[in-house]
Amino acid sequence: MITVTEKAVSEIKRLQEKDPTAVGAMLRVMVVGGGCSGMSYKLGFDNQSVAGSDKVFEYGDVKVVCDAKSFLYLSGITLDFTDGLNGTGFVFSNPNAKRTCGCGTSFSA
């Protein structure tokens, strides 16, 4: 399961309202190679149809989708949004990460 906090859901909706191409789109959460620790998180709006192996999670009218390969690394994560003094952006809390970089955008499993 991928948990998305209320604050993150609100930010996703706000971003969808700002971008006409994102209205009604799903938020795709992925893991890609790269970053300081070996793997990085990637977020993007996706209007494509869901593949049979994709995992889909619904939070009201916000849908979050993850491909099966990425889900191996993302199962159990919490996606939050922060707008504090230390920066603004989405924050991943990943219990599968053995090591993370200082900025929190990459990890190793």
Side-chain angles (χ1 to χ4, degrees):
M1 172 145 193
I2 294 176
T3 302
V4 181
T5 67
E6 287 183 34
K7 198 165 186 179
V9 168
S10 294
E11 181 62 13
I12 293 165
K13 288 180 183 180
R14 187 188 73 75
L15 291 170
Q16 286 176 316
E17 290 170 2
K18 281 181 61 175
D19 182 358
T21 64
V23 173
M26 299 170 286
L27 179 71
R28 185 167 288 277
V29 183
M30 297 172 279
V31 172
V32 295
C36 311
S37 297
M39 291 184 265
S40 294
Y41 303 105
K42 185 174 179 185
L43 297 173
F45 289 112
D46 189 348
N47 287 310
Q48 303 295 319
S49 58
V50 176
S53 60
D54 284 346
K55 306 289 185 190
V56 179
F57 306 94
E58 294 188 37
Y59 298 91
D61 53 352
V62 170
K63 287 186 181 180
V64 177
V65 64
C66 180
D67 64 271
K69 186 176 178 184
S70 293
F71 190 68
L72 295 172
Y73 301 104
L74 299 177
S75 178
I77 70 160
T78 298
L79 177 61
D80 196 8
F81 182 80
T82 184
D83 55 359
L85 295 174
N86 290 332
T88 299
F90 288 100
V91 178
F92 296 87
S93 177
N94 188 344
N96 305 307
K98 293 189 171 123
R99 187 172 56 117
T100 60
C101 67
C103 63
T105 60
S106 69
F107 69 99
S108 65

